[in-house]
């Protein structure tokens, strides 16, 4: 007799412990990894089995009180050993409950749905449950033993159609649906006859839905460049040996990283292994999916964020059953089950969309690394502008650093020019387009070529800038811009809480033309439309609410139906359109001074990506950055497309201010409907940590806050942040885990936060 430990799958933050249940004899096959239904209080809920032990290991009085597992869900354990281990790591590392970590692996987070059972008068009696994942099945035929005998004996002409059908069924690995039979010229009436005679059995067959259907193109096979060759060789060696190694594939835009991914994937698939490829946003990577489809055809499954729960379930099933070899998906695909994972690729590994901004705040790159370690699968991190974390690890020798320094097709990087918008104002040009960009647009359109205009509008109106010298007002302690708070009409530092009044004049040049930065995106669009021969297409959040709208807009632009594409970040990413020869970035300096330690890194990579869209074909590209703060070092380096110099400077600054990758970071957010109470709790938390710091129990650590969040009140709840930077965050996590704060319902932990505001 056995009992099992179950993690209860409820969306409640603070159920940290597991619960023990007995298993009835008919469910004795249950083991770790199964999803089950268990009674919990008066409800029936889903749980995940995380351990199994003999009933005799419990005290008799505990035994007698045990409740029993009610039912098993699915046909097999959902979690294998590797997934269980990853979930355990995740709960510990990201400071969440085991159930919270495990539900990430289940499509739709929970696999049962509650159904109210009511009596005649409509009063609620109880809740029942039903399985949520509905498998789509069709009737199919499977040959029986009798059928095989008939086939062996053969028969006269009247039996020929039936014999032909039996033959087909006999050689087919699985059952065949009526439609599949019809495709082989076997009529439904013949099929029915087989069933009636007992020569075949009617069985349900699971049909996998695939919402991502795109015609296949032919694979282009290139002669690899020397740089590509070196990279491919290093990676395929690791794949061949089944050795966990992480490769940072740093290649400039257009250097042919995709070709390297394809060859590495081909090696893994050739060895009968599976490949996981993560992308930041499926809609922006249509070209990449097409290239994989062209190489691998039906071997490729795609999991994007707009799949229904059932569709996602089907994709997961396919991977587990080894019916597909390659899974291309967004962040959450890192939790897919695999039969035999042999390689993971993360494209654009620096993208912030890999970090989940809600609980549990995992980073797909870190989860992937853990899964790779558990399965001995090599990991490729690809980017033109690697994250500081990955770049640093590569420099430290933790990752193998592979570089592609040239464009694969021999084209050169575009020429980037910075236009000083202060000069435009002086010349009384009040347009959002500089004279130079306007001129270039007109010429590009006239030449039958295309242009992309990036509106870099993140963080407008939040910081204070001098119109004359372009400098922003920054915190003396943290080297980040101060944020203007309209309520208090002052400026604040979101790292240390320092506040300052808005100065009347610029501290640097004493000009009085101090402005809160902002500009009109509509104005830009209108001005573009007024230019001769310019036909504008817009790509932004508003225009892409529909399922595949992104892709349609980009494809329409790629086909040349319009000649100017204008939009936010999305226009800068992923696509490869040879006819684009001009890229303009409006307000290129606007996000350089956001109050966040990753502001420069993000801005730099966006500028480089945007520039990289130009001149990918046989004509050279031209890029214009419009800016006020034209001397800005980051802007200058972006114009020179010099990532390494940027990264070295950025790493020095990170080290000096004790930011990642030199420190591990934890952001704690406290929510309270009472402002005073919230602040008091947050202060108590800080004191607790400071006390431990004094006792030297936390190692090298910096504790900042509490300070109000950038948006201090959300839905009537006040938010306070505490930020901890530590050499060994483990010690801080442990201290919090052993404290009263662990169980606070209104305290949230964000490990390795993407930002601090
Ligand atoms: P990245 O992902 O590094 O920006 P891509 O993989 O999109 O670059 O490749 C850029 C272009 O170069 C694509 O049009 C691709 O077809 C082409 N390309 C890739 N490898 C080669 C090669 N070895 N020879 C010629 N062209 C190549
Ligand atoms: Zn000034
Ligand atoms: Zn500060």
């Amino acid at each position: 007799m056995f009992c099992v430990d179950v993690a209860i799958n409820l969306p409640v933050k603070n159920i940290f412990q597991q619960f023990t249940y007995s298993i009835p004899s008919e469910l004795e096959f249950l083991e770790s990894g199964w999803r089950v239904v268990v009674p919990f209080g008066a409800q029936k809920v889903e749980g995940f089995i995380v351990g199994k032990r003999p009933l005799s290991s419990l005290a008799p009085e505990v035994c007698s009180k045990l409740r029993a597992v009610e039912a098993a869900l699915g046909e097999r354990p959902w979690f294998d050993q590797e997934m269980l281990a990853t979930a355990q790591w995740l709960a510990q590392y990201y400071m969440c409950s085991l159930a919270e970590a495990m539900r990430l692996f289940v499509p739709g987070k929970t696999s049962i749905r509650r159904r109210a059972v009511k009596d005649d008068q409509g009063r609620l009696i109880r809740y029942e449950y039903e399985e949520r994942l509905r498998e789509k099945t069709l009737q199919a035929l499977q040959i029986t033993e009798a059928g095989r005998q008939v086939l062996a004996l053969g028969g006269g002409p009247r039996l020929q159609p039936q014999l032909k059908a039996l033959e087909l069924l006999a050689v087919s690995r699985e059952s065949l649906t009526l439609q599949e039979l019809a495709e082989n010229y076997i009529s439904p009436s013949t099929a029915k006859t087989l069933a009636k005679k007992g020569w075949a059995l009617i069985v349900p067959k699971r049909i996998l839905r695939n919402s991502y259907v795109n015609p296949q193109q032919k694979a282009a096979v290139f002669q690899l460049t020397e740089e590509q060759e070196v990279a491919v060789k290093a990676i395929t060696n690791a794949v061949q040996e089944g050795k966990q190694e992480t490769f940072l594939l740093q290649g400039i835009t257009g250097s042919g990283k995709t070709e390297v991914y394809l060859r590495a994937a081909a090696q893994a698939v050739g060895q009968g292994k599976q490949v996981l490829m993560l992308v930041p946003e499926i809609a922006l990577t249509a070209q990449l999916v097409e290239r994989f489809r062209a190489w691998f055809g039906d071997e490729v499954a795609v999991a994007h964020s707009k799949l229904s729960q059932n569709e996602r379930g089907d994709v997961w099933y396919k991977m587990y059953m080894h019916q597909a070899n390659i899974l291309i998906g967004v962040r959450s695909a890192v939790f897919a089950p695999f039969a035999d994972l042999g390689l993971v690729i993360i494209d654009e590994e620096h993208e912030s969309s890999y970090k989940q901004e809600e609980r549990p705040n995992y980073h797909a790159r870190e989860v992937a690394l853990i899964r790779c370690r558990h399965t001995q699968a090599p990991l490729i991190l690809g980017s033109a502008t690697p994250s500081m974390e990955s770049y640093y690890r590569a420099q430290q020798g933790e990752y193998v650093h592979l570089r592609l320094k040239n464009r694969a097709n021999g084209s050169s990087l575009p020429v980037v020019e910075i236009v000083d918008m202060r000069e435009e104002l002086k010349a009384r040009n009040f347009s959002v387009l500089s004279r130079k960009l306007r001129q270039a647009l007109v010429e590009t359109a006239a030449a039958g070529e295309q242009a992309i205009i990036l509106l870099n509008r993140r963080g407008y109106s939040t910081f204070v800038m001098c119109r004359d010298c372009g400098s922003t007002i920054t915190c003396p302690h943290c080297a980040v811009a101060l944020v203007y708070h309209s309520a208090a009409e002052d400026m604040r530092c979101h790292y240390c809480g320092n506040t300052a009044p808005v100065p009347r004049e610029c501290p640097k040049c004493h000009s009085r033309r101090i402005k809160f930065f902002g500009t009109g995106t509509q104005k830009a669009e209108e001005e573009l439309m007024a230019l001769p021969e310019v036909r504008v297409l817009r790509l932004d959040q508003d225009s892409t609410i529909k399922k595949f709208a992104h892709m349609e807009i980009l494809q329409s632009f790629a086909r040349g139906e319009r000649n100017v594409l204008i939009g936010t970040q999305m226009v800068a990413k992923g696509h490869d359109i040879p006819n684009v020869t001009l890229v303009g970035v409006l307000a290129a300096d606007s996000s350089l001074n956001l109050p966040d330690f990753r502001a420069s890194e993000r801005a730099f990579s966006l500028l480089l990506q945007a520039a990289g869209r130009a001149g990918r074909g046989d004509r050279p590209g031209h890029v214009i950055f419009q800016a006020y703060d034209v001397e800005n070092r980051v802007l200058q380096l972006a114009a020179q497309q010099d990532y390494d110099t940027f990264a070295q400077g950025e790493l020095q600054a990170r080290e000096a201010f004790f930011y990642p990758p030199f420190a591990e970071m934890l952001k704690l957010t406290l929510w309270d409907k009472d402002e005073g109470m919230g602040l008091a709790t947050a202060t108590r938390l800080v004191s607790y940590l400071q006390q431990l710091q004094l006792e030297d129990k936390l190692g090298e650590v910096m504790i900042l806050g509490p300070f109000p969040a950038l948006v201090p009140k959300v839905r009537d709840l006040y938010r306070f942040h505490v930020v901890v930077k530590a050499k060994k965050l483990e010690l801080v996590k442990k201290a919090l885990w052993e404290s009263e704060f662990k169980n606070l319902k209104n305290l949230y932990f964000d490990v390795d936060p993407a930002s601090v505001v």
Side-chain angles (χ1 to χ4, degrees):
M1 295 281 274
F2 288 91
C3 60
V4 285
D5 297 314
V6 175
I8 302 294
N9 180 12
L10 281 180
V12 180
K13 181 187 163 226
N14 293 316
I15 308 184
F16 287 106
Q17 78 270 40
Q18 276 87 58
F19 296 84
T20 307
Y21 292 88
S22 62
I23 33 182
S25 54
E26 73 273 16
L27 294 179
E28 236 159 36
F29 60 86
L30 287 178
E31 299 205 28
S32 287
W34 276 87
R35 293 169 302 152
V36 289
V37 178
V38 290
F40 190 71
Q43 313 174 45
K44 287 180 183 136
V45 298
E46 183 185 30
F48 310 116
I49 299 184
V50 295
K52 181 177 185 177
R53 52 205 165 113
L55 215 46
S56 56
S57 69
L58 300 178
E61 64 274 18
V62 177
C63 260
S64 61
K65 285 201 206 109
L66 280 190
R67 301 171 81 180
V69 172
E70 179 112 2
L73 291 165
E75 297 143 8
R76 58 171 184 92
W78 186 263
F79 297 86
D80 61 20
Q81 286 309 313
E82 181 270 311
M83 288 159 83
L84 276 176
T86 302
Q88 246 132 13
W89 169 84
L90 209 131
Q92 202 174 21
Y93 187 85
Y94 290 107
M95 306 178 80
C96 65
S97 71
L98 186 55
E100 268 185 298
M102 291 179 85
R103 71 209 305 260
L104 291 167
F105 292 79
V106 181
K109 299 192 176 122
T110 160
S111 32
I112 60 175
R113 190 202 315 272
R114 269 195 284 166
R115 193 158 47 83
V117 179
K118 297 182 178 166
D119 67 12
D120 303 345
Q121 272 99 51
R123 282 176 307 219
L124 183 70
I125 305 174
R126 62 175 189 277
Y127 283 109
E128 289 284 352
Y129 60 88
E130 59 194 16
E131 277 202 58
R132 261 168 98 137
L133 282 182
R134 296 238 159 259
E135 294 171 1
K136 189 173 166 193
T137 54
L138 288 177
Q139 289 195 340
L141 283 193
Q142 192 175 37
I143 191 165
T144 60
E145 207 33 58
R148 285 186 197 279
Q149 280 167 16
V150 172
L151 186 62
L153 290 172
R158 280 205 312 130
L159 224 49
Q160 280 313 310
Q162 292 166 32
L163 286 173
K164 193 177 154 234
L166 285 174
E167 201 176 336
L168 189 67
L169 289 172
V171 298
S172 143
R173 261 190 305 164
E174 29 180 54
S175 60
L176 296 177
T177 63
L178 290 184
Q179 159 141 20
E180 286 163 336
L181 289 168
E183 279 162 12
N184 288 285
Y185 309 105
I186 289 160
S187 71
S189 71
T190 306
K192 271 187 208 133
T193 311
L194 294 185
K196 210 159 38 188
K197 291 185 174 170
W199 296 350
L201 219 56
I202 297 181
V203 294
K205 178 171 180 177
R206 182 164 184 183
I207 303 301
L208 298 177
R209 286 148 288 213
N210 189 349
S211 79
Y212 192 99
V213 186
N214 234 8
Q216 280 183 30
Q217 293 178 345
K218 272 233 81 58
V221 180
F222 299 110
Q223 175 78 37
L224 292 181
T225 64
E226 253 170 65
E227 294 176 326
Q228 284 173 322
E229 191 88 59
V230 170
V232 167
K233 199 161 251 161
I235 299 164
T236 49
N237 274 345
V239 172
Q240 206 160 18
E241 289 169 27
K243 182 162 129 221
Q244 205 295 308
E245 252 186 310
T246 301
F247 298 91
L248 177 60
L249 179 62
Q250 182 185 343
I252 62 167
T253 53
S255 60
K257 293 185 285 294
T258 312
E259 200 62 26
V260 176
Y261 302 154
L262 286 166
R263 307 282 173 128
Q267 173 73 31
V269 169
Q271 285 174 224
K273 299 260 182 184
Q274 290 174 302
V275 179
L276 168 65
M277 163 119 192
L278 295 181
V279 294
E281 238 278 32
I282 278 288
L284 296 179
T285 40
Q287 285 181 328
L288 190 126
V289 172
E290 275 165 29
R291 280 166 76 183
F292 269 79
R293 280 262 154 90
W295 265 69
F296 299 103
D298 289 343
E299 298 287 337
V300 182
V302 178
H304 52 80
S305 53
K306 284 173 183 163
L307 282 186
S308 73
Q309 189 183 337
N310 280 324
E311 287 169 338
R312 176 170 296 265
D314 285 349
V315 171
W316 268 204
Y317 178 81
K318 238 180 171 168
M319 298 322 292
Y320 177 79
M321 295 302 288
H322 215 148
Q323 290 177 1
N325 281 325
I326 296 176
L327 175 62
I328 303 182
V330 293
R331 179 176 76 217
S332 56
V334 78
F335 297 108
F338 291 94
D340 193 359
L341 187 62
L343 174 69
V344 179
I345 304 166
I346 303 185
D347 190 30
E348 309 289 359
E349 64 90 27
H350 63 280
E351 281 286 339
S352 55
S353 60
Y354 287 123
K355 167 86 175 167
Q356 167 141 305
E357 286 292 1
E358 49 195 76
R359 291 170 52 79
N361 306 53
Y362 70 87
H363 198 298
R365 188 177 59 219
E366 302 307 313
V367 179
L369 188 55
I370 294 299
R371 292 198 78 175
C372 285
R373 291 207 178 124
H374 289 156
T375 54
Q376 288 303 305
L379 171 64
I380 308 176
L381 305 173
S383 177
T385 52
S387 63
M388 285 304 124
E389 283 84 349
S390 297
Y391 187 73
Y392 181 68
R393 288 179 192 174
Q395 288 208 321
Q396 297 295 302
E398 217 177 301
Y399 297 166
V400 180
H401 205 165
L402 301 169
R403 315 262 327 223
L404 306 178
K405 296 185 174 172
N406 300 291
R407 280 189 162 176
N409 60 5
S411 70
S412 47
L413 280 178
V415 177
V416 183
E417 210 178 339
I418 299 175
V419 170
D420 188 339
M421 292 305 280
R422 292 168 303 180
E423 294 299 323
E424 299 297 308
L425 289 179
K426 278 187 200 144
R428 308 198 63 73
N429 171 21
F430 300 112
S431 158
V432 294
L433 301 175
S434 61
R435 291 160 293 176
K436 210 157 212 166
L437 181 54
R438 185 194 306 260
Q439 176 72 21
L441 276 163
V442 172
E443 283 169 8
T444 302
E449 296 169 1
Q450 290 171 293
I452 291 176
I453 304 291
L454 170 66
L455 290 159
N456 193 9
R457 70 175 170 179
R458 269 188 66 188
Y460 276 141
S461 308
T462 55
F463 63 96
V464 181
M465 193 172 94
C466 169
R467 278 276 189 180
D468 284 311
C469 76
S471 64
T472 49
I473 298 175
T474 56
C475 173
H477 309 295
C478 307
V480 289
L482 291 172
V483 176
Y484 176 68
H485 278 241
S486 54
E489 293 189 326
D490 64 2
M491 301 181 303
R492 292 190 187 169
C493 171
H494 282 272
Y495 284 73
C496 67
N498 176 31
T499 67
V502 180
R504 286 173 177 282
E505 57 180 48
C506 170
K508 211 156 137 195
C509 77
H510 305 291
S511 156
R512 297 208 145 205
R513 304 196 331 128
I514 293 260
K515 286 270 161 20
F516 307 108
F517 204 75
T519 188
T521 56
Q522 270 168 336
K523 202 173 153 212
E525 201 180 357
E526 280 162 25
E527 285 183 21
L528 281 173
M529 287 194 290
L531 296 177
E533 294 190 52
V534 163
R535 299 183 314 281
V536 187
L537 192 62
R538 191 180 166 93
L539 180 69
D540 59 16
Q541 290 299 330
D542 303 336
S543 61
T544 56
I545 293 163
K546 253 181 57 196
K547 203 166 184 174
F548 289 113
H550 275 105
M551 237 186 273
E552 282 158 23
I553 291 173
L554 279 173
Q555 278 167 359
S556 154
F557 183 65
R559 286 192 298 267
E561 288 162 16
R562 304 281 178 89
N563 55 10
V564 176
L565 179 68
I566 181 171
T568 47
Q569 309 205 24
M570 292 175 249
V571 301
K573 295 182 180 171
H575 44 84
D576 184 21
I577 302 169
N579 197 35
V580 173
T581 53
L582 174 67
V583 166
V585 182
L586 309 188
D589 52 344
S590 69
S591 49
L592 291 173
N593 294 306
L594 289 179
D596 196 273
F597 72 101
R598 287 190 217 270
S600 300
E601 179 182 349
R602 287 217 187 94
F604 183 87
S605 89
L606 182 62
L607 289 173
L608 238 64
Q609 291 221 4
R613 298 309 112 204
R616 293 169 79 96
D618 41 20
R619 278 147 301 166
H622 181 196
V623 179
I624 293 174
F625 291 166
Q626 295 190 167
Y628 289 96
D629 185 8
V630 295
E631 271 84 46
N632 185 296
R633 199 183 130 269
V634 175
L635 184 71
Q636 294 277 346
L637 289 172
Q640 291 155 23
Q641 300 170 76
D642 183 355
Y643 171 85
D644 288 280
T645 306
F646 165 76
Q648 274 146 27
E650 184 66 15
L651 281 177
Q652 271 168 19
R654 296 276 185 94
E655 186 164 24
F657 289 98
F658 199 44
Y659 283 124
F662 299 92
E664 290 182 83
M665 214 174 203
L666 168 66
K667 179 167 79 177
L668 300 109
T669 307
L670 199 110
W671 302 71
D672 206 309
K673 58 179 185 299
D674 183 314
E675 192 174 6
M677 290 267 280
L679 185 59
T681 314
T683 307
R684 210 149 40 80
L685 171 68
V686 169
S687 314
Y688 169 72
L689 291 174
Q690 278 170 342
Q691 181 58 38
L692 291 172
Q693 183 183 17
L694 278 180
E695 295 164 18
D696 202 19
K697 287 188 177 147
L698 301 180
E700 193 184 334
V701 68
M702 263 173 92
I703 301 157
L704 308 175
F707 45 86
L710 179 59
V711 186
K713 191 165 105 172
V714 177
R715 278 175 250 112
D716 287 325
L717 289 173
Y718 291 88
R719 290 196 302 165
F720 295 92
H721 286 322
V722 172
V723 170
V724 182
K725 299 190 271 183
K727 211 69 212 170
K728 266 197 165 161
L729 196 60
E730 246 172 87
L731 298 174
V732 178
K733 289 180 192 171
K734 189 160 163 284
L736 287 165
W737 234 226
E738 287 165 357
S739 75
E740 50 160 328
F741 299 103
K742 175 185 181 185
N743 287 313
L744 278 187
K745 287 200 173 66
N746 55 345
L747 179 64
Y748 289 87
F749 304 111
D750 184 355
V751 178
D752 305 335
S755 76
V756 196
V757 291

